[in-house]
Amino acid sequence: MLKRLLNKQTLNLGVYGIGQAFNLITPLLVIPYIVGICGEDGYGKTAVGMALSFFLMVFIDYGSDIVGVKSVSVSRDDPKKLSQIFATTYLAKFFTLSLVLIAASLMFLFIPFFSVEKRLFFLGLPVLLGQCVNPTWFLQGVENFKWITILTIISKTIYVVGVFLMISNPEDYIYNNLVWGIGMIVAHLIVVGYLFTQYPIRFSDANRHDVKTLLRSNFSIFSSQIFVSLQMYAPTMLISFFGGNALTGQFKIVDQIVVIFKTYILLFFNFVFPRICYLLEIDKHQGLLFWKRYNGANFAFIALSMVAIFIFATPIVSYFNPKGIGEIVFLLRIAVAIPLLQAVTVPLKQLMLGWDKQKEYVRYTMIITIVSLLAIVLAIPFFHVQGLLCVLIATEILSSALFFASVKSNFFLRG
């Protein structure tokens, strides 16, 4: 059985990998162009806007990227249940979107840090609408990776074309996040239309009570995702606040290189998570064996990639055409430790969630995030980007230790 599943997953991974390779390469095509026209300062501003949008996405998803995927995965053979999950989740997402748009608009108008660049932030709101429509969570649950690939290619093609058409002067950086959002909206609407042709989905299969129940039941995992999102995106906003947009641009150039692998790790999580949940549900030993094989191979790939980046850091940084190449090369060689550690932390997170250890996961994530953000605030004024990177490395080490302590009693299961 496991051999058959591995063969199927290998085929799916090939299809999924095409789209995600496209997804990861896209920034490499546009960032040198944006930095060349808008400078590190302008690129830093777009990074702050995108970081805020990505953080607000958590409120719109409200745990559907984890709980929704798992629910669809275990109910994949029940069309009526799938329709109910789909309709309830989308109604909840439309509700949270409306609240987020109101809160974000007020924030952009009245908080000085945001109002200075309010045009940039308002033009980034389509990213939130695109995330509301995003059906990737459902496609992951039914393991339809072909359409995830189609969605990714459409979205990123629109983004690349939009950047080259709309950014031609230094002040045009404000349009970067707008074209990203337009690409999301168009691609996601196309795929939602496809889903309506393949499944008997009806919004009448959900009601107000279902939505309230979902919002209550998902609150715990949603709370933890807020802290995860803060870990990922608050550093960009904090370094902008304490160090200015030029330092933010430096950090984002380094981050954009390693984020290719950080994103790959998270996408790999999304790829294998539904299958791991399914296997752990029916056979813990088979599920754990599947987890070890896939994540072991993945760790080896990440380790080799980080060694290559460390060795070739200078030509890699030069590609982005920044001013301070030597400083950024030094920072990049520190940052390669982050994806390597995440290749341990994220798989352990899979086991925690697959074994229904949500309470422990939420508690650990809250503690880790609070400690991490406090350390970042203290480190940036004195050590700038170098201090920020060291805190992020320490955060991953702490996360790995706590997650492993939670699952170690089941980690060495025997058949």
Side-chain angles (χ1 to χ4, degrees):
M1 175 185 176
L2 183 61
K3 183 177 180 180
R4 186 173 68 253
L5 287 173
L6 287 172
N7 289 336
K8 180 181 178 182
Q9 287 296 96
T10 301
L11 178 61
N12 283 337
L13 182 59
V15 175
Y16 189 60
I18 293 171
Q20 299 318 314
F22 198 88
N23 191 44
L24 297 175
I25 290 170
T26 298
L28 302 180
L29 299 177
V30 299
I31 291 174
Y33 178 77
I34 296 171
V35 172
I37 291 179
C38 305
E40 293 171 32
D41 185 74
Y43 176 58
K45 291 176 182 178
T46 69
V48 173
M50 192 62 76
L52 179 63
S53 293
F54 284 168
F55 172 68
L56 294 176
M57 283 180 185
V58 176
F59 294 83
I60 296 169
D61 286 339
Y62 205 84
S64 63
D65 53 330
I66 292 178
V67 179
V69 172
K70 186 174 181 180
S71 298
V72 170
S73 178
V74 299
S75 304
R76 64 182 67 187
D77 298 322
D78 185 345
K80 178 71 174 178
K81 183 65 175 176
L82 287 179
S83 176
Q84 192 269 336
I85 294 169
F86 184 96
T88 302
T89 301
Y90 265 103
L91 289 175
K93 290 179 76 171
F94 289 137
F95 173 72
T96 55
L97 172 67
S98 62
L99 296 180
V100 168
L101 289 178
I102 293 170
S105 298
L106 293 173
M107 188 167 61
F108 301 159
L109 289 172
F110 298 111
I111 297 179
F113 178 74
F114 298 109
S115 62
V116 171
E117 291 288 342
K118 61 185 176 184
R119 290 181 66 200
L120 168 70
F121 290 115
F122 273 111
L123 288 175
L125 291 180
V127 174
L128 302 181
L129 178 58
Q131 185 64 17
C132 181
V133 184
N134 189 354
T136 301
W137 61 276
F138 188 90
L139 294 169
Q140 288 169 357
V142 296
E143 298 186 71
N144 188 334
F145 297 103
K146 180 182 77 173
W147 274 89
I148 294 177
T149 297
I150 293 171
L151 177 155
T152 301
I153 292 174
I154 294 173
S155 173
K156 293 306 181 292
T157 299
I158 293 173
Y159 170 62
V160 171
V161 173
V163 165
F164 287 113
L165 288 178
M166 298 189 69
I167 298 180
S168 56
N169 298 298
E171 62 273 14
D172 290 341
Y173 66 87
I174 62 173
Y175 300 119
N176 179 73
N177 300 350
L178 171 65
V179 294
W180 183 289
I182 292 172
M184 291 177 67
I185 293 169
V186 173
H188 294 163
L189 285 175
I190 289 172
V191 179
V192 167
Y194 160 79
L195 289 176
F196 272 95
T197 68
Q198 299 299 308
Y199 297 92
I201 296 170
R202 297 179 303 177
F203 279 98
S204 60
D205 287 333
N207 54 48
R208 185 179 300 178
H209 174 74
D210 294 331
V211 173
K212 288 181 178 179
T213 300
L214 183 146
L215 293 174
R216 283 196 299 267
S217 62
N218 282 16
F219 181 77
S220 177
I221 197 69
F222 157 69
S223 300
S224 72
Q225 292 302 95
I226 290 178
F227 286 91
V228 171
S229 189
L230 279 172
Q231 276 185 311
M232 294 175 66
Y233 305 117
T236 301
M237 289 185 278
L238 287 173
I239 200 163
S240 174
F241 184 81
F242 289 107
N245 291 315
L247 276 184
T248 306
Q250 278 192 357
F251 168 67
K252 286 306 296 181
I253 289 172
V254 171
D255 186 60
Q256 192 58 61
I257 296 166
V258 299
V259 84
I260 294 173
F261 298 92
K262 290 163 61 178
T263 303
Y264 163 79
I265 291 167
L266 294 175
L267 294 172
F268 191 87
F269 170 93
N270 293 335
F271 176 77
V272 299
F273 182 61
R275 180 60 59 178
I276 287 172
C277 289
Y278 179 73
L279 289 176
L280 290 176
E281 187 78 19
I282 62 174
D283 188 329
K284 287 184 178 180
H285 173 68
Q286 291 289 335
L288 189 58
L289 184 59
F290 180 87
W291 177 89
K292 288 179 179 178
R293 289 186 179 180
Y294 260 81
N295 286 295
N298 196 47
F299 179 82
F301 168 72
I302 294 295
L304 290 172
S305 300
M306 293 307 100
V307 170
I309 288 178
F310 188 92
I311 293 172
F312 299 105
T314 300
I316 291 171
V317 170
S318 299
Y319 171 78
F320 291 89
N321 196 29
K323 293 180 180 178
I325 292 178
E327 175 68 14
I328 297 176
V329 166
F330 174 71
L331 296 172
L332 177 60
R333 285 177 169 155
I334 296 173
V336 294
I338 298 173
L340 189 63
L341 290 166
Q342 284 194 334
V344 177
T345 305
V346 173
L348 290 172
K349 172 183 170 181
Q350 289 175 339
L351 290 184
M352 289 193 72
L353 297 175
W355 275 325
D356 294 321
K357 294 182 178 291
Q358 282 92 343
K359 289 184 179 179
E360 292 95 329
Y361 173 71
V362 171
R363 183 169 64 250
Y364 292 155
T365 302
M366 290 174 64
I367 294 170
I368 292 166
T369 303
I370 292 170
V371 171
S372 173
L373 292 180
L374 287 174
I376 288 172
V377 170
L378 294 173
I380 289 176
F382 300 100
F383 303 105
H384 307 300
V385 180
Q386 182 180 347
L388 170 58
L389 294 174
C390 289
V391 172
L392 295 179
I393 291 169
T395 299
E396 292 301 327
I397 293 172
L398 178 60
S399 300
S400 297
L402 291 175
F403 291 175
F404 181 73
S406 180
V407 302
K408 67 179 180 180
S409 59
N410 292 326
F411 192 77
F412 302 102
L413 286 172
R414 301 291 180 185

